[in-house]
């Protein structure tokens, strides 16, 4: 990596401590990509814990039929805030943290393109998170309209709704700035010889994700701003009495919301596409097709939004279009799954924790994909709309998809970040607990949904008791597994331990290139220029 030689003669005039702030100033004024990446990761983990506590509140209430702990209104506040905090506070910022850490390293750039804006886009998040979380404390409490904030519910709620709208505007601004930074960095700051089609897959998936974010965050801003003016300024965008249409809100929201779910999974695809070649000791099978598949998923994500709306009285022609368009997304997704399996085929695989999480990701993400395909079928979806089948489906994609890929990426790259190896036994313990208790929690929800149990209800008939007991126990143990992860894996590996080698996964841990194929470009150096 080339560095510019600068004349340092003038440096004696300033205070050196001012150039490199220490203590809290190092973090408050951070402009280097590694510190900002670290800030994002700690922030997102904090939000994961808060969102997880809300989820455990939901599962505690549903442990038995009848109303145990909460009023139904408060129960609905829990479901809403759990969704908003996990999506905007945990999953998205975690991937941005990975982008900050890894993209400059992978393309051979000295840093992100806009260092000050990078700092600003992070520091917008804590005030937004505080605004969102403290909406529980205002009169009327947090919004109970569901994370989708559907009208007319969202136009009736108390001040907590306004706090949520403001928080999401701030988080949206943060996402847009982060995306501009990522696009500029990837397109303009690659090392010589690093052409687009030689970039690591993680850089590709984030480049495409950043374009998606810039395209759809303003759409969300529009939907919630119209909600705001309906609430306070006498407009009637979503009020039928004034000539508006509450279903229009759903169209606008899901035009944002469907690409959003791909925003939360594409960077995960990138992480998995880095890890599997490393531990199979083979190059990624079908690199170009992976790039095209990612782009195809992104483009198709814009024409499927109304599959969330099959029960709204859509014309049959519209139902057919959205059904077929949704099924079409299964094709590039299937290409990715095929390529990952083909990469592992006849590879010299070892199963360290990153590889376990990556394979676990493929397994559970595939289940989530198949249930999504089932929900794409209009007549089936009309039966399962707003039941626990849908809850099971999107948690298989978002928990076992996004979250497992984040864990895989952490285990894979943390030796690079901290300089120390994590404890392999503890990593595996975290993996097995996570995958087992995840499935114990969410697999029974498929059966609950097929049997007709609606989501977002604080109570249910006795026939649903057994599966709910199983799910609630699983949820508690899954949550405890993540507490174990931070206390016994993350913190010890930051504080010290076995020193990581220069290439922690290449020889240091007994991994050798044992197949006659060149090492894939998953290392942290700039790849050699191909003649």
């Amino acid at each position: 990596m080339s560095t510019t030689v600068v004349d340092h003669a003038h440096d004696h005039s300033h205070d050196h401590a001012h150039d490199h702030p220490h203590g809290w100033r190092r973090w408050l004024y951070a402009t280097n990509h590694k510190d900002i990446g670290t800030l994002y990761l700690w922030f997102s983990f904090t939000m994961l814990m808060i969102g997880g506590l809300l989820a455990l509140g939901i599962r505690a209430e549903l442990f038995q039929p009848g109303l145990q702990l909460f009023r139904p209104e408060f129960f609905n506040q829990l479901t809403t805030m759990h969704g908003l905090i996990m999506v905007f506070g945990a999953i998205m910022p975690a991937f941005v943290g990975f982008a900050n850490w890894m993209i400059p390293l992978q393309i051979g750039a000295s840093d992100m393109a806009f260092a000050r804006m990078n700092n600003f886009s992070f520091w917008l998040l804590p005030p937004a998170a505080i605004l969102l979380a403290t909406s529980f404390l205002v009169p009327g409490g947090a919004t109970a309209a569901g994370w989708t904030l559907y009208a007319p519910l969202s136009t009736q709620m108390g001040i907590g709704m306004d706090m949520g709208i403001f928080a999401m505007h701030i988080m949206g601004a943060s996402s847009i700035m982060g995306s501009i930074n990522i696009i500029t960095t990837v397109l303009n700051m690659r090392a010589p010889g690093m052409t687009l089609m030689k970039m690591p897959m993680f850089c590709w998936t984030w480049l495409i994700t950043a374009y998606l974010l810039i395209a759809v965050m303003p759409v969300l801003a529009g939907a919630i701003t119209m909600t705001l003016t309906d609430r306070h300024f006498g407009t009637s965008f979503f009020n039928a009495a004034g000539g508006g249409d509450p279903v229009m809100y759903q169209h606008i929201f899901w035009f944002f919301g469907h690409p959003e779910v791909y925003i939360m999974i594409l960077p995960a695809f990138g992480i998995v596409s880095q890890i599997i070649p490393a531990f199979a000791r083979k190059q990624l099978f079908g690199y170009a097709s992976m790039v095209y598949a990612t782009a195809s998923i992104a483009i198709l994500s814009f024409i499927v939004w109304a599959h969330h709306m099959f029960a709204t009285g859509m014309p049959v022609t519209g139902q057919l279009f959205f059904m077929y368009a949704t099924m079409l997304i299964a094709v590039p997704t299937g290409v990715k799954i095929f390529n990952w399996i083909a990469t592992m085929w006849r590879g010299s695989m070892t199963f360290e924790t990153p590889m376990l999480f990556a394979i676990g990701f493929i397994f559970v993400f595939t289940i989530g994909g198949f249930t999504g395909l089932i929900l794409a079928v209009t007549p089936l979806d009309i039966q399962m709309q707003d039941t626990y089948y849908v809850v099971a489906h999107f948690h298989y994609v978002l928990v076992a998809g996004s979250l497992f890929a984040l864990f895989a990426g952490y285990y894979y790259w943390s030796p690079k970040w901290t300089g120390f190896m994590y404890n392999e036994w503890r990593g595996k313990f975290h993996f097995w607990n996570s995958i087992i208790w995840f499935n114990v929690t969410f697999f029974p929800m498929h059966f609950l949904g097929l049997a007709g149990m609606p989501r977002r209800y604080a109570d249910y008939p006795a026939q649903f008791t057994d599966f709910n007991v199983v799910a609630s126990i699983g949820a508690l143990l899954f949550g405890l597994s993540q507490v174990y992860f931070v206390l016994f894996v993350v913190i010890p590996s930051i504080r010290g331990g076995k020193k990581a080698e220069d290439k922690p996964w290449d020889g240091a841990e007994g991994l050798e290139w044992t197949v006659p194929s060149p090492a894939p470009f998953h290392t942290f150096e700039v790849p050699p220029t191909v003649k």
Side-chain angles (χ1 to χ4, degrees), residues 256-281:
F256 147 80
H258 199 80
E260 165 67 22
V261 299
Y262 292 99
I263 287 163
M264 291 188 281
I265 202 68
L266 291 181
F269 290 165
I271 291 173
V272 170
S273 302
Q274 303 281 120
I275 291 172
I276 285 177
F279 292 90
R281 290 155 188 83

Short mmCIF file of all heavy atoms in Angstrom, two decimals, residues 256-281:
data_model
loop_
_atom_site.label_atom_id
_atom_site.label_comp_id
_atom_site.label_asym_id
_atom_site.label_seq_id
_atom_site.Cartn_x
_atom_site.Cartn_y
_atom_site.Cartn_z
N PHE A 256 -40.15 1.28 -0.12
CA PHE A 256 -38.91 1.34 0.66
C PHE A 256 -38.62 -0.02 1.29
O PHE A 256 -37.50 -0.53 1.24
CB PHE A 256 -39.02 2.39 1.77
CG PHE A 256 -38.26 2.04 3.02
CD1 PHE A 256 -36.89 2.24 3.09
CD2 PHE A 256 -38.90 1.46 4.11
CE1 PHE A 256 -36.18 1.89 4.24
CE2 PHE A 256 -38.19 1.10 5.25
CZ PHE A 256 -36.83 1.32 5.32
N GLY A 257 -39.64 -0.63 1.91
CA GLY A 257 -39.45 -1.75 2.82
C GLY A 257 -38.94 -3.00 2.14
O GLY A 257 -38.17 -3.75 2.73
N HIS A 258 -39.35 -3.24 0.89
CA HIS A 258 -38.83 -4.47 0.31
C HIS A 258 -37.36 -4.37 -0.08
O HIS A 258 -36.58 -5.24 0.30
CB HIS A 258 -39.67 -5.06 -0.83
CG HIS A 258 -39.30 -6.49 -0.97
ND1 HIS A 258 -39.80 -7.46 -0.13
CD2 HIS A 258 -38.33 -7.09 -1.69
CE1 HIS A 258 -39.17 -8.60 -0.36
NE2 HIS A 258 -38.27 -8.40 -1.31
N PRO A 259 -36.94 -3.30 -0.78
CA PRO A 259 -35.48 -3.17 -0.98
C PRO A 259 -34.72 -3.17 0.36
O PRO A 259 -33.62 -3.70 0.44
CB PRO A 259 -35.35 -1.83 -1.71
CG PRO A 259 -36.63 -1.69 -2.46
CD PRO A 259 -37.68 -2.29 -1.56
N GLU A 260 -35.34 -2.62 1.39
CA GLU A 260 -34.70 -2.59 2.72
C GLU A 260 -34.33 -3.98 3.20
O GLU A 260 -33.26 -4.17 3.80
CB GLU A 260 -35.64 -1.90 3.72
CG GLU A 260 -35.30 -2.11 5.17
CD GLU A 260 -34.01 -1.45 5.61
OE1 GLU A 260 -33.57 -0.50 4.93
OE2 GLU A 260 -33.43 -1.88 6.62
N VAL A 261 -35.19 -4.98 2.97
CA VAL A 261 -34.83 -6.31 3.46
C VAL A 261 -33.63 -6.86 2.70
O VAL A 261 -32.83 -7.62 3.25
CB VAL A 261 -36.03 -7.31 3.44
CG1 VAL A 261 -37.16 -6.81 4.33
CG2 VAL A 261 -36.51 -7.57 2.04
N TYR A 262 -33.45 -6.42 1.44
CA TYR A 262 -32.24 -6.84 0.71
C TYR A 262 -31.03 -6.03 1.16
O TYR A 262 -29.91 -6.54 1.15
CB TYR A 262 -32.48 -6.74 -0.80
CG TYR A 262 -33.47 -7.79 -1.22
CD1 TYR A 262 -34.82 -7.47 -1.42
CD2 TYR A 262 -33.09 -9.12 -1.33
CE1 TYR A 262 -35.74 -8.45 -1.74
CE2 TYR A 262 -34.02 -10.10 -1.65
CZ TYR A 262 -35.33 -9.76 -1.84
OH TYR A 262 -36.24 -10.73 -2.14
N ILE A 263 -31.25 -4.78 1.59
CA ILE A 263 -30.16 -4.00 2.19
C ILE A 263 -29.61 -4.74 3.40
O ILE A 263 -28.41 -4.71 3.68
CB ILE A 263 -30.68 -2.59 2.57
CG1 ILE A 263 -30.89 -1.75 1.32
CG2 ILE A 263 -29.73 -1.89 3.55
CD1 ILE A 263 -31.76 -0.52 1.54
N MET A 264 -30.49 -5.43 4.12
CA MET A 264 -30.03 -6.13 5.32
C MET A 264 -29.46 -7.51 5.02
O MET A 264 -28.90 -8.14 5.92
CB MET A 264 -31.19 -6.27 6.33
CG MET A 264 -31.58 -4.94 6.94
SD MET A 264 -32.76 -5.13 8.28
CE MET A 264 -34.28 -5.38 7.39
N ILE A 265 -29.57 -8.03 3.79
CA ILE A 265 -29.01 -9.36 3.53
C ILE A 265 -27.85 -9.33 2.54
O ILE A 265 -26.97 -10.19 2.59
CB ILE A 265 -30.11 -10.37 3.07
CG1 ILE A 265 -29.67 -11.82 3.31
CG2 ILE A 265 -30.48 -10.18 1.61
CD1 ILE A 265 -29.55 -12.20 4.76
N LEU A 266 -27.78 -8.34 1.62
CA LEU A 266 -26.71 -8.36 0.63
C LEU A 266 -25.31 -8.29 1.27
O LEU A 266 -24.43 -9.06 0.88
CB LEU A 266 -26.89 -7.23 -0.41
CG LEU A 266 -28.09 -7.40 -1.36
CD1 LEU A 266 -28.15 -6.24 -2.36
CD2 LEU A 266 -28.03 -8.72 -2.12
N PRO A 267 -25.07 -7.40 2.26
CA PRO A 267 -23.73 -7.43 2.87
C PRO A 267 -23.44 -8.78 3.54
O PRO A 267 -22.28 -9.21 3.58
CB PRO A 267 -23.77 -6.29 3.89
CG PRO A 267 -24.87 -5.39 3.42
CD PRO A 267 -25.90 -6.30 2.81
N ALA A 268 -24.48 -9.45 4.04
CA ALA A 268 -24.29 -10.78 4.62
C ALA A 268 -23.80 -11.75 3.54
O ALA A 268 -22.89 -12.55 3.78
CB ALA A 268 -25.59 -11.27 5.24
N PHE A 269 -24.40 -11.67 2.34
CA PHE A 269 -23.93 -12.50 1.22
C PHE A 269 -22.45 -12.23 0.96
O PHE A 269 -21.68 -13.16 0.68
CB PHE A 269 -24.72 -12.17 -0.06
CG PHE A 269 -26.16 -12.62 -0.04
CD1 PHE A 269 -27.05 -12.12 -0.99
CD2 PHE A 269 -26.63 -13.54 0.88
CE1 PHE A 269 -28.37 -12.53 -1.00
CE2 PHE A 269 -27.95 -13.95 0.88
CZ PHE A 269 -28.83 -13.44 -0.07
N GLY A 270 -22.06 -10.95 1.05
CA GLY A 270 -20.66 -10.61 0.80
C GLY A 270 -19.73 -11.24 1.82
O GLY A 270 -18.68 -11.80 1.46
N ILE A 271 -20.12 -11.18 3.10
CA ILE A 271 -19.27 -11.75 4.16
C ILE A 271 -19.11 -13.26 3.95
O ILE A 271 -18.00 -13.81 4.00
CB ILE A 271 -19.87 -11.45 5.55
CG1 ILE A 271 -19.77 -9.95 5.85
CG2 ILE A 271 -19.16 -12.27 6.64
CD1 ILE A 271 -20.50 -9.52 7.13
N VAL A 272 -20.24 -13.94 3.68
CA VAL A 272 -20.20 -15.39 3.49
C VAL A 272 -19.37 -15.75 2.27
O VAL A 272 -18.63 -16.74 2.26
CB VAL A 272 -21.64 -15.93 3.40
CG1 VAL A 272 -21.65 -17.39 2.96
CG2 VAL A 272 -22.34 -15.79 4.75
N SER A 273 -19.44 -14.91 1.23
CA SER A 273 -18.65 -15.16 0.02
C SER A 273 -17.16 -14.95 0.23
O SER A 273 -16.35 -15.36 -0.60
CB SER A 273 -19.11 -14.24 -1.12
OG SER A 273 -20.48 -14.43 -1.38
N GLN A 274 -16.77 -14.30 1.33
CA GLN A 274 -15.35 -14.17 1.66
C GLN A 274 -14.89 -15.37 2.48
O GLN A 274 -13.75 -15.83 2.34
CB GLN A 274 -15.11 -12.93 2.53
CG GLN A 274 -15.56 -11.63 1.95
CD GLN A 274 -14.59 -11.09 0.93
OE1 GLN A 274 -14.95 -10.91 -0.22
NE2 GLN A 274 -13.36 -10.88 1.34
N ILE A 275 -15.76 -15.84 3.37
CA ILE A 275 -15.34 -16.84 4.36
C ILE A 275 -15.26 -18.23 3.74
O ILE A 275 -14.31 -18.98 3.98
CB ILE A 275 -16.31 -16.81 5.56
CG1 ILE A 275 -16.12 -15.49 6.33
CG2 ILE A 275 -16.08 -18.02 6.47
CD1 ILE A 275 -17.16 -15.27 7.42
N ILE A 276 -16.26 -18.58 2.93
CA ILE A 276 -16.31 -19.96 2.42
C ILE A 276 -15.09 -20.30 1.55
O ILE A 276 -14.49 -21.37 1.75
CB ILE A 276 -17.66 -20.22 1.75
CG1 ILE A 276 -18.70 -20.39 2.87
CG2 ILE A 276 -17.62 -21.46 0.85
CD1 ILE A 276 -20.10 -20.59 2.43
N PRO A 277 -14.65 -19.42 0.63
CA PRO A 277 -13.44 -19.76 -0.12
C PRO A 277 -12.22 -19.92 0.80
O PRO A 277 -11.37 -20.79 0.56
CB PRO A 277 -13.24 -18.57 -1.06
CG PRO A 277 -14.58 -17.94 -1.16
CD PRO A 277 -15.25 -18.16 0.16
N ALA A 278 -12.13 -19.12 1.85
CA ALA A 278 -10.96 -19.19 2.72
C ALA A 278 -10.86 -20.54 3.42
O ALA A 278 -9.79 -21.13 3.50
CB ALA A 278 -11.02 -18.07 3.76
N PHE A 279 -12.01 -21.05 3.92
CA PHE A 279 -11.96 -22.29 4.69
C PHE A 279 -12.18 -23.52 3.83
O PHE A 279 -12.02 -24.64 4.31
CB PHE A 279 -12.97 -22.23 5.84
CG PHE A 279 -12.58 -21.24 6.88
CD1 PHE A 279 -13.03 -19.92 6.80
CD2 PHE A 279 -11.75 -21.59 7.92
CE1 PHE A 279 -12.65 -18.99 7.74
CE2 PHE A 279 -11.37 -20.66 8.88
CZ PHE A 279 -11.81 -19.36 8.78
N ALA A 280 -12.53 -23.33 2.55
CA ALA A 280 -12.55 -24.45 1.62
C ALA A 280 -11.24 -24.50 0.84
O ALA A 280 -11.01 -25.43 0.07
CB ALA A 280 -13.72 -24.33 0.65
N ARG A 281 -10.39 -23.45 1.02
CA ARG A 281 -9.12 -23.33 0.30
C ARG A 281 -9.30 -23.45 -1.20
O ARG A 281 -8.57 -24.14 -1.88
CB ARG A 281 -8.12 -24.37 0.81
CG ARG A 281 -7.72 -23.99 2.21
CD ARG A 281 -7.27 -25.17 2.99
NE ARG A 281 -7.07 -24.77 4.37
CZ ARG A 281 -8.05 -24.69 5.25
NH1 ARG A 281 -9.29 -24.93 4.92
NH2 ARG A 281 -7.79 -24.37 6.49
#
